[in-house]
Amino acid sequence: MGYYVTVEPGVQLYVEDINPAGSKTIVFLHGWPLNHDQFEYQFNVLPGMGYRCIGIDWRGFGKSDRPYGGYHLERLADDIRAVVDALQLKDFVLAGHSTGGAIAIKYVVRYNGGGVSKLVLIDAAAPRGFTKETAAQLLKQSLNDRANMMLGVTDIFFFRYISKPFADWFIQMGMQAAGWSTAAIIVMLRDFDLTADLSHIQVPTLIVHGIHDQVIPFSQAEEMQRLIPHSQLVPFMYSGHGSFYDERDKFNEVIQEFVGNARQAPLRVPQ
């Protein structure tokens, strides 16, 4: 089911809540400049194993409202907190991809865990995001030809072959975002540094990262593993920045192993 949650006056986030009867909850935070649909190949599988899967579109992206401001890690983490409070989530797994991983880190540290029992960082943009050079190039492209920028992002995102229809779908996912929010997140990715936050993460943490990642280098995953207590790093040998798709079967198995088996929700027989 899909619904909206108010995170501040005039701003609602879209939430996709799949298998609410699942015995274990995984909250997914998408990457820039995408939305919750990027996890289609997790949502196809994990709910059938008994998990409740929740996808949240950040402000400015996907189906969520698109205010002009609020595109910094603290506000984005506060948005997630508002959703967690509204849904009364406790003892859940928080999984963030790329920039979503940075938001997940900020959320866990800012809220002293915030109900998170385990953390999954997927090709995460941490401790840092884009270099100043990369950010300048992407910002210029975003403000002048955003569609062409999305084409370039798609070209370097995956390690394995993707079909043209898949690439078209992926590009359109990015184009659903507002132009101003797309640009604002580039600036955020240029400016933040989460190094000091990493040692404050006190929940078991799984780091999944493609060794061929051309967006966030694998060396940053190794740095995170050194700095985050109780963390483990699983390299994906045949993945780029999109390990959730490049090696989707392995990815889903690793997630299931880390989260733990869920009880299959009983079938409801129509009366």
Side-chain angles (χ1 to χ4, degrees), residues 41 154 158 162-171 244-245:
Y41 297 91
T154 304
F158 301 98
I162 60 170
S163 67
K164 186 179 185 303
F166 183 95
D168 292 342
W169 169 75
F170 195 79
I171 291 169
F244 61 92
Y245 183 77

Side-chain angles (χ1 to χ4, degrees), residues 4 14 30 33-37 57-66 173-178 181:
Y4 287 87
Y14 180 77
H30 63 84
L34 307 172
N35 59 58
H36 77 277
D37 283 336
D57 289 348
W58 324 332
R59 63 171 60 209
F61 294 82
K63 298 178 182 178
S64 290
D65 286 343
R66 311 195 297 176
M173 197 189 317
M175 294 302 293
Q176 290 177 32
S181 56

